[in-house]
Amino acid sequence: MSDAILAIEWSDALVRARTGTVAEAESRRVLNRLTPAVPYVSGCDWLWRLDIDKETVQPASIEPDLVGLIAIVVSQDNSCRHCYGAWRSILQIMGWPVAQIERLEGDLASPDLPAGWPVALEYARQLSRANPRPENAGASLRAAGFTPEQIAEITMWAGIMCIGNRMATLLALPPSTELESLTASLPYRLLRPLFKWWMRRNFARKAAQPLTTEELASPFATSLRGVQTAPGARVLLTALEGAARSTLLPPGVKGLMVAVIGRALGCATCEQAGRAAAAATLDPDVVDEAVMRLGSRALRPEEELLLHFARSSVRYKPIEAQRLTRSLLEHYDEDQVVEAIGVCALANGTARLTVAASAC
Amino acid sequence: MSGAAAGALVLVGAGGAAAVAIVKLRRRNLAQQRRLEAAMNELEQLQLAFSRFAPEQVVEDIARRGLSTAAGRRDVTVLFADLQGFTAMSETLEPEQLVQVLNGYFDRMGRAIGRHDGHVSKFIGDGLLALFGALEPNPWQANDAARAALAMREELADYNRELEQAGLQPLAVGIGVHRGEVVAGVIGSHDLKEFTVIGSVVNVASRIEGLTRRHGVDILVSSTVAEALDRRFAVRELPAEQVKGVTEPVVTWAIDGFDEPGGSR
């Protein structure tokens, strides 16, 4: 399975990488490094902020190793060459033998795992696949020994990975060769224990700060109620608010994109939130027609293209998704296309998080 | 030999034996690992090959969960397409040429259907059954099926130009589309199974396809499908007709095109 992922067809990056930007400076200030996506998304303020902030999220109620495995499983399901390669390397650095990782890819019920972890990983896979969304997974997760906080956190990590996978795939981010080649290098082999210690120190568990009552009152917090205690909830709320405020793309069309993704995933919460956002600037009848029939005479052809792009972001083959992204560049500038990618990624992630409300 | 020397000799001997045992064990482990990797690669290749016979998702489900992959009720749009005049052609062409013509037609139809989020469930002689929304929830399946039908019309027109250049008779197709709840699953005997759907919706779609000849059109959809369509589809209502297996006369709608600059998508 891993050979198939590593050999997956992948195009060149869809937009130009930019250097010397505010986003780059912020990435280095916060993380002491440049994230792979920042050079490509620096033109969309809320998106580069999301990209940097999600790297600061740390495990709280579940083991870092389980987070790494969730990342592998979801990246594998999304055929994300970039994220899969990166997290495979991270798990190796954390001390997981390659053979063990590959066994897990083929069989989540592997006896290598602690009790309950196979159930969590299967839940994460079903969240990613969303065919349908695992609305009734709570019982099996609780039977496997997970608390409501842990279930919320497992859901959150799967959602964050869905966001990251789509950003990487739709942008066609180059594979993270630095990390991948590190684990094959002589210094790594000689200093493996030191690298392991460093990785585990930087990805250690840290108590999460739940969303406050004031934050939960935000109209954008509706889809985060089930994961309000999980690490990363605040990062996503900030991103949702930023995406709504941004004017790179028409706010009404962005609302339609969110509604379309919500409808495709069977998430009534996200569909309603998207419809409400769209109706702030578009006629309600146009909103209804566009969401129900994926198009409307009242929209321009390039706006309809965004709806089809949003729909295609729910389930895709990477090379076909990248081709569709490229077609957007014929009608929009790079920053607008980057925002479109960000909206799709964020909506796909949050539409999966609403499952936690029933699962926890 | 002194006791110390004898002891040292024993230790060296034991150490040597242990080293040999460790080396042998490592070699055996490596060999087993190589065999395991080879088996996994072969399984992967089999899965890839099998995906030509069944939708990829069904193949994956079977590989992970076994053959009793989840059957269930689904809201699905069913498209039947049947070649008209092919029987006459089959009596004049050599078998190899006939198969070549038919495969060329199926390739193009399959592509048109795949481009619009459908999949070909089965080939029935010179006909095909395609499904929209069977493998994944699809709120826009009616529009997808209608767009696929228009794309099939365009593909066939293109294919007919090729056939005419080759001195062959052009083909004509009748397409019927209906939507409703079906039972979807892996169905069949112990020796032969397929992922397909069953239910009255399938029968009605087939009957609607049959009505294309009576109405003299190539694409007909049911009222259920027509009501869900984008308003820009150019549709016209046709008189209700009695069809076998359905109590009430069936109202159908012909799709003439899609009203936008540049024609149908």
Side-chain angles (χ1 to χ4, degrees):
Chain A
M1 188 68 75
S2 57
D3 284 344
I5 294 285
L6 295 173
I8 212 153
E9 208 182 346
W10 201 258
S11 81
D12 296 328
L14 274 294
V15 298
R16 293 166 298 135
R18 299 174 192 170
T19 56
T21 61
V22 168
E24 180 179 333
E26 187 64 3
S27 180
R28 295 194 192 283
R29 184 188 72 81
V30 173
L31 302 171
N32 284 322
R33 60 182 172 86
L34 188 60
T35 75
V38 154
Y40 301 92
V41 302
S42 54
C44 179
D45 290 346
W46 67 265
L47 189 55
W48 62 252
R49 170 56 62 192
L50 168 62
D51 187 62
I52 293 169
D53 288 350
K54 68 176 176 55
E55 299 284 315
T56 66
V57 180
Q58 291 185 238
S61 62
I62 61 175
E63 292 298 326
D65 299 73
L66 180 54
V67 173
L69 292 176
I70 289 169
I72 287 275
V73 161
V74 173
S75 300
Q76 186 184 28
D77 185 64
N78 288 318
S79 298
C80 181
R81 168 69 183 86
H82 174 91
C83 298
Y84 172 84
W87 277 97
R88 196 171 184 246
S89 301
I90 290 169
L91 274 176
Q92 270 183 263
I93 297 171
M94 285 171 70
W96 286 72
V98 171
Q100 194 176 7
I101 297 171
E102 289 177 359
R103 270 202 302 281
L104 287 165
E105 289 158 5
D107 179 14
L108 292 182
S110 167
D112 294 328
L113 296 177
W117 285 26
V119 176
L121 294 177
E122 180 58 27
Y123 170 63
R125 190 206 292 272
Q126 288 179 20
L127 269 174
S128 172
R129 192 156 293 187
N131 187 17
R133 298 183 315 151
E135 308 268 7
N136 302 314
S140 57
L141 286 162
R142 285 189 293 276
F146 292 104
T147 65
E149 286 74 23
Q150 289 173 322
I151 295 171
E153 184 166 349
I154 293 166
T155 311
M156 174 60 80
W157 283 110
I160 288 177
M161 284 314 303
C162 283
I163 292 171
N165 290 164
R166 276 159 181 79
M167 279 177 63
T169 299
L170 297 176
L171 285 167
L173 287 186
S176 51
T177 50
E178 277 182 21
L179 255 182
E180 292 179 34
S181 56
L182 170 69
T183 53
S185 69
L186 182 60
Y188 170 75
R189 274 185 260 151
L190 292 175
L191 301 170
R192 203 179 305 191
L194 188 62
F195 278 101
K196 178 178 172 181
W197 168 84
W198 175 84
M199 180 62 78
R200 287 192 172 275
R201 181 170 162 270
N202 282 289
F203 199 52
R205 287 169 68 165
K206 184 179 171 185
Q209 301 300 316
L211 293 179
T212 63
T213 311
E214 194 183 326
E215 286 170 326
L216 285 168
S218 163
F220 302 99
T222 330
S223 53
L224 301 176
R225 287 191 198 289
V227 292
Q228 58 185 276
T229 59
R234 190 163 289 106
V235 168
L236 293 191
L237 180 59
T238 305
L240 287 165
E241 289 170 345
R245 274 197 306 270
S246 167
T247 53
L248 279 172
L249 287 172
V253 175
K254 282 189 291 187
L256 289 178
M257 292 169 74
V258 171
V260 161
I261 290 169
R263 186 166 175 74
L265 287 168
C267 177
T269 307
C270 285
E271 182 182 342
Q272 288 311 314
R275 281 172 174 263
T281 52
L282 295 171
D283 183 278
D285 288 340
V286 172
V287 171
D288 191 57
E289 187 183 5
V291 174
M292 295 299 285
R293 301 176 202 282
L294 212 56
S296 167
R297 276 184 212 272
L299 298 177
R300 295 196 303 272
E302 59 269 24
E303 290 174 331
E304 277 198 345
L305 187 58
L306 284 173
L307 302 194
H308 288 276
F309 178 67
R311 179 210 179 164
S312 74
S313 72
V314 175
R315 298 178 187 95
Y316 55 85
K317 284 186 168 50
I319 198 70
E320 286 165 19
Q322 288 157 3
R323 253 184 235 126
L324 194 52
T325 315
R326 230 179 256 289
S327 71
L328 287 181
L329 287 165
E330 294 168 22
H331 305 280
Y332 295 97
D333 65 40
E334 285 190 350
D335 291 342
Q336 290 175 313
V337 171
V338 164
E339 174 155 80
I341 289 169
V343 168
C344 289
L346 188 57
N348 269 282
T350 50
R352 286 163 166 87
L353 297 182
T354 57
V355 164
S358 54
C360 293
Chain B
M1 185 187 289
S2 69
L9 201 61
V10 166
L11 273 174
V12 166
V20 165
I22 287 170
V23 165
K24 277 188 175 170
L25 191 61
R26 280 200 69 187
R27 277 198 193 142
R28 193 160 56 226
N29 282 348
L30 274 170
Q32 277 178 346
Q33 197 163 322
R34 274 195 285 270
R35 278 198 290 275
L36 184 60
E37 278 169 14
M40 281 177 69
N41 283 338
E42 193 182 326
L43 181 62
E44 213 171 281
Q45 292 307 314
L46 272 172
Q47 264 184 258
L48 279 169
F50 190 35
S51 67
R52 293 185 64 197
F53 298 90
E56 201 179 307
Q57 183 152 332
V58 173
V59 173
E60 212 180 301
D61 271 356
I62 291 172
R64 285 180 47 241
R65 292 192 280 175
L67 196 53
S68 57
T69 191
R73 296 188 185 278
R74 316 258 172 100
D75 173 29
V76 170
T77 297
V78 178
L79 181 152
F80 266 100
D82 196 41
L83 272 182
Q84 290 158 16
F86 192 73
T87 310
M89 186 188 272
S90 69
E91 285 161 7
T92 58
L93 290 183
E94 292 298 320
E96 292 82 7
Q97 198 174 23
L98 192 69
V99 168
Q100 199 176 356
V101 167
L102 195 55
N103 285 349
Y105 160 77
F106 280 143
D107 263 344
R108 285 172 173 269
M109 297 300 104
R111 278 204 302 269
I113 289 162
R115 277 202 307 272
H116 295 280
D117 293 283
H119 83 271
V120 176
S121 173
K122 64 173 85 179
F123 299 105
I124 314 160
D126 56 15
L128 65 83
L129 164 65
L131 303 173
F132 298 78
L135 298 176
E136 293 154 352
N138 179 356
W140 305 285
Q141 54 184 263
N143 281 282
D144 287 339
R147 288 201 164 99
L150 289 176
M152 289 163 75
R153 175 193 283 169
E154 279 186 27
E155 285 277 355
L156 186 60
D158 200 39
Y159 191 46
N160 278 336
R161 280 189 280 276
E162 274 183 35
L163 292 175
E164 279 167 346
Q165 277 174 9
L168 296 168
Q169 290 292 319
L171 300 171
V173 70
I175 298 172
V177 185
H178 184 42
R179 176 181 182 175
E181 189 178 85
V182 300
V183 170
V186 177
I187 296 166
S189 68
H190 181 78
D191 295 323
L192 184 64
K193 291 182 190 291
E194 60 180 355
F195 177 80
T196 190
V197 296
I198 48 178
S200 62
V201 172
V202 182
N203 175 54
V204 172
S206 171
R207 301 298 179 206
I208 289 174
E209 183 278 313
L211 287 176
T212 56
R213 283 173 277 281
R214 204 179 301 179
H215 290 304
V217 298
D218 61 342
I219 302 172
L220 280 181
V221 303
S222 65
S223 294
T224 312
V225 171
E227 280 158 16
L229 290 183
D230 189 305
R231 299 283 178 253
R232 288 166 292 179
F233 277 100
V235 295
R236 52 194 166 90
E237 187 177 353
L238 295 173
E241 297 275 353
Q242 202 69 50
V243 296
K244 189 177 171 185
V246 185
T247 317
E248 297 295 322
V250 174
V251 173
T252 55
W253 301 72
I255 298 185
D256 294 326
F258 187 84
D259 182 22
E260 70 164 358
S264 61
R265 281 190 232 176

